[in-house]
Amino acid sequence: MSHPVTRAARRVLARKYGDRKVEPTYRGFAEKNWKLVYLRHNKLHRARQLGKIWPPKEWKKLTADIEPVKVLFVCSRNQWRSPTGEAVFARVDGVSARSAGTASNARRKISLADIRWADLILVMEDKHKSRLSADFRQEVAYKPVHILDIPDNYKYMDANLIELIRAKAGPLIFDQG
């Protein structure tokens, strides 16, 4: 008996012999076993497309060999804002932080070694950036310097200051690494 060509002929045969459809299978399994469908290389490929690292323990292996992003926080007297920034990001994995001041009476005055050490320089106000440009023109020319626009209205480790620094500096730091 030849295979029926038309749809009507197939319907007649289906009524005559019953519906013999077998459930579709996937790779020989009656149901999709998702653990077998999505193999490791599929998951890794999809994670790469999404820009994520999978599985999470791979992240630890990757960051173990990577050097931390070196961030220099700069304010005027190195008394409240920049030490707070240093303290907030000192405990973060993959970040090494320092702080310094631009004023001559700063607790820790910024030096050429600090600028050479830093991968990223974060200043609190526009005047700090212009002071750095004036004092260290050659070195600052090739370093990323970002202005956080944080006024001198906060005490050391003030909750609002911590929140501001995390909100403004966090994206800049983690886009570097």
Side-chain angles (χ1 to χ4, degrees):
M1 183 173 159
S2 66
H3 184 71
V5 178
T6 63
R7 184 175 179 191
R10 285 193 299 273
R11 282 187 178 167
V12 169
L13 286 174
R15 272 191 229 112
K16 184 176 178 183
Y17 296 111
D19 196 12
R20 291 188 180 175
K21 274 194 169 180
V22 179
E23 285 297 314
T25 61
Y26 186 81
R27 294 187 185 175
F29 298 101
E31 289 183 23
K32 282 187 182 177
N33 187 346
W34 293 104
K35 287 184 179 176
L36 296 173
V37 173
Y38 289 109
L39 300 173
R40 181 177 173 80
H41 69 272
N42 298 107
K43 291 177 185 175
L44 288 171
H45 177 71
R46 183 66 179 140
R48 261 185 252 115
Q49 285 177 335
L50 296 173
K52 300 195 182 226
I53 295 177
W54 181 90
K57 54 187 163 179
E58 296 283 329
W59 178 251
K60 295 254 188 235
K61 292 178 191 172
L62 289 171
T63 55
D65 301 333
I66 297 174
E67 287 216 9
V69 176
K70 297 178 221 158
V71 182
L72 178 63
F73 289 94
V74 179
C75 70
S76 297
R77 295 184 56 219
N78 192 31
Q79 192 170 2
W80 295 331
R81 294 174 290 175
S82 58
T84 300
E86 179 183 9
V88 166
F89 286 100
R91 295 175 288 228
V92 176
D93 289 337
V95 178
S96 180
R98 281 189 194 173
S99 65
T102 56
S104 59
N105 62 346
R107 286 161 114 196
R108 185 173 182 285
K109 189 159 173 26
I110 192 163
S111 67
L112 187 60
D114 291 328
I115 293 174
R116 287 184 178 160
W117 170 84
D119 295 327
L120 174 67
I121 301 172
L122 300 176
V123 297
M124 300 297 160
E125 296 177 38
D126 191 35
K127 66 181 180 181
H128 302 132
K129 183 176 181 178
S130 38
R131 183 74 184 258
L132 286 178
S133 298
D135 292 350
F136 307 101
R137 181 174 305 279
Q138 292 291 324
E139 293 298 320
V140 176
Y142 302 104
K143 295 279 182 174
V145 179
H146 297 282
I147 303 166
L148 298 180
D149 285 325
I150 298 176
D152 197 8
N153 302 341
Y154 304 97
K155 297 286 184 188
Y156 178 69
M157 295 303 281
D158 183 358
N160 293 333
L161 178 59
I162 292 171
E163 187 178 316
L164 257 176
I165 288 174
R166 279 193 180 136
K168 292 186 176 191
L172 296 171
I173 292 170
F174 297 116
D175 285 347
Q176 281 285 314

